[in-house]
Structure formats: structure tokens, C-alpha cells
Amino acid sequence: KADIKLNFKEYKIEKIENFDKPNIVIFLVLESANYRNLGLYGYERDTTPNLSKLKSNNNFIYKKGISSSVSTASALPFLFNVVREPGNTKLLSNSQNSLIKLAKENGYTTYFATSQDSKNLNNIGTKFLDKIITREQDAINFKINNDDALLDYLDEFLNDSKKNKFISTNQRHLHSPYDTHYEHHTEFN
């Protein structure tokens, strides 16, 4: 067998000088969501009324996204790391280009809450997080409230006294079976 070695050009990430950075960055991961079904992107029903209200705010940035993988454990590292070549897994394992690391290096307190298990968070830069909440840490709350439990943590992070914050959440319950994830919402029953 031939031993194939991939050589990639070194990455250089440069700071933007005179950048008026925001005090709070909220990075929402809507796992398994399809932008075609979101009111925010023009879907016929306003399935995202609260996000849609933010469209006119110049500080609200939203982009269409397509996952790099069908698995959370492999998709999140590509989402949270600046990687231009799919085979450049070295960058994933060392987190040198992690958004979380870059936020930390630029003076942000970093937070992450997920309704998923921690096993799905490899190679996203967790070692640079100041506060992390996973399904295992608050199993009862997540069992009862599913993704809605993330709202409690979002509130907690926003109310923390730190000035500059990079907050990320990762939802899970857009996965099937859908009905079991929303049993606590009586308006859907």
C-alpha cells in the first residue's frame, strides 16, 4: 500500500484592525434544521417568529448553512473550526483555528450549552470554554424540557457579569422522532 501524505498550506488568521467588536456574539446551531423550512429565509409559514423579528437589526447576521456531515460528532468540528480542506483533520484535532479559541484570544468569555451528550463535542475547542453545559450535567432538566432547557442557560450566560461574551448553543431535538421531543408543549398536542 502506498502511504499518502497530504500537505496543506499553513493557515494565517489575521486580526482586523480597528474592528468595533460586539460585546456579545451568540452562535446558534440548529441541528438538523433545514433553512428551506425556516420563516427567517422566506418559508411560507413563519416558523421562526422571534428570529424573523431580528432581521432588520444590522447586528443580526444569519447565513444559510449546509452541514459537512450527517453526524453531529463529525459535523460540529468542521462548523467550529476554520478548515478549508476536508482532509485537513490535523487542524480539527489541535483546535488551533477553533472559533471558540479565537473568541477566547480576543477577550471573550466563552460559553457553550448543548442538549447533546459531551461525546459529540470532540475537536470543537472545548478546552477554550469558560463554561460548558451538556445533557449529562443537567439530565433531568433536559429530559423534561428538551431543547427548551437551553433557554435557561442562554439566560444565565447573558446575565453573567462578564463584558464580552461568545455564547454558543447546540440543539438536538429537530431529529426524529419529532413528537417525543415536544411532548412538554401542550400547544402542539
Side-chain angles (χ1 to χ4, degrees):
K1 290 183 174 179
D3 187 19
I4 300 173
K5 293 195 184 238
L6 300 174
N7 294 313
F8 299 103
K9 290 181 182 177
E10 188 174 328
Y11 281 47
K12 184 175 180 182
I13 297 176
E14 297 177 6
K15 277 190 173 186
I16 300 171
E17 296 301 324
N18 303 319
F19 175 66
D20 187 21
K21 72 179 183 183
N23 290 340
I24 300 173
V25 175
I26 301 175
F27 189 74
L28 302 175
V29 180
L30 305 175
E31 179 118 355
S32 294
N34 186 325
Y35 72 86
R36 291 181 194 97
N37 296 331
L38 301 178
L40 187 61
Y41 294 100
Y43 184 62
E44 61 194 43
R45 288 187 6 242
D46 194 4
T47 54
T48 54
N50 293 324
L51 291 175
S52 295
K53 288 177 192 172
L54 297 172
K55 284 172 83 167
S56 61
N57 182 331
N58 290 337
N59 293 320
F60 179 63
I61 300 168
Y62 59 100
K63 303 284 183 188
K64 294 176 184 176
I66 298 173
S67 180
S68 61
S69 176
V70 296
S71 162
T72 301
S74 56
L76 284 180
F78 281 105
L79 179 63
F80 277 91
N81 287 278
V82 179
V83 179
R84 63 179 172 243
E85 309 92 356
N88 198 346
T89 56
K90 179 181 174 187
L91 286 179
L92 299 179
S93 61
N94 69 20
S95 300
Q96 101 184 27
N97 293 341
S98 164
L99 293 177
I100 298 166
K101 177 184 178 261
L102 295 171
K104 186 84 180 144
E105 288 175 346
N106 283 281
Y108 287 89
T109 302
T110 54
Y111 307 84
F112 189 88
T114 180
S115 55
Q116 301 242 17
D117 296 328
S118 59
K119 68 182 179 188
N120 291 310
L121 304 181
N122 292 326
N123 300 324
I124 68 164
T126 55
K127 64 185 173 188
F128 302 104
L129 286 166
D130 294 302
K131 176 93 175 182
I132 182 171
I133 301 295
T134 66
R135 182 173 195 78
E136 298 100 333
Q137 292 170 284
D138 197 3
I140 293 172
N141 189 9
F142 281 111
K143 177 72 175 159
I144 294 168
N145 297 307
N146 295 303
D147 279 341
D148 290 350
L150 294 172
L151 297 173
D152 296 335
Y153 292 109
L154 187 56
D155 248 3
E156 177 187 322
F157 300 160
L158 286 170
N159 289 313
D160 189 331
S161 63
K162 304 290 192 260
K163 184 179 177 187
N164 297 317
K165 303 171 191 177
F166 179 87
I167 301 170
S168 186
T169 65
N170 177 34
Q171 298 180 346
R172 184 217 182 284
H173 291 102
L174 292 172
H175 288 279
S176 63
Y178 308 109
D179 58 338
T180 61
H181 303 306
Y182 298 97
E183 291 172 337
H184 64 289
H185 277 282
T186 55
E187 68 270 25
F188 297 135
N189 296 331

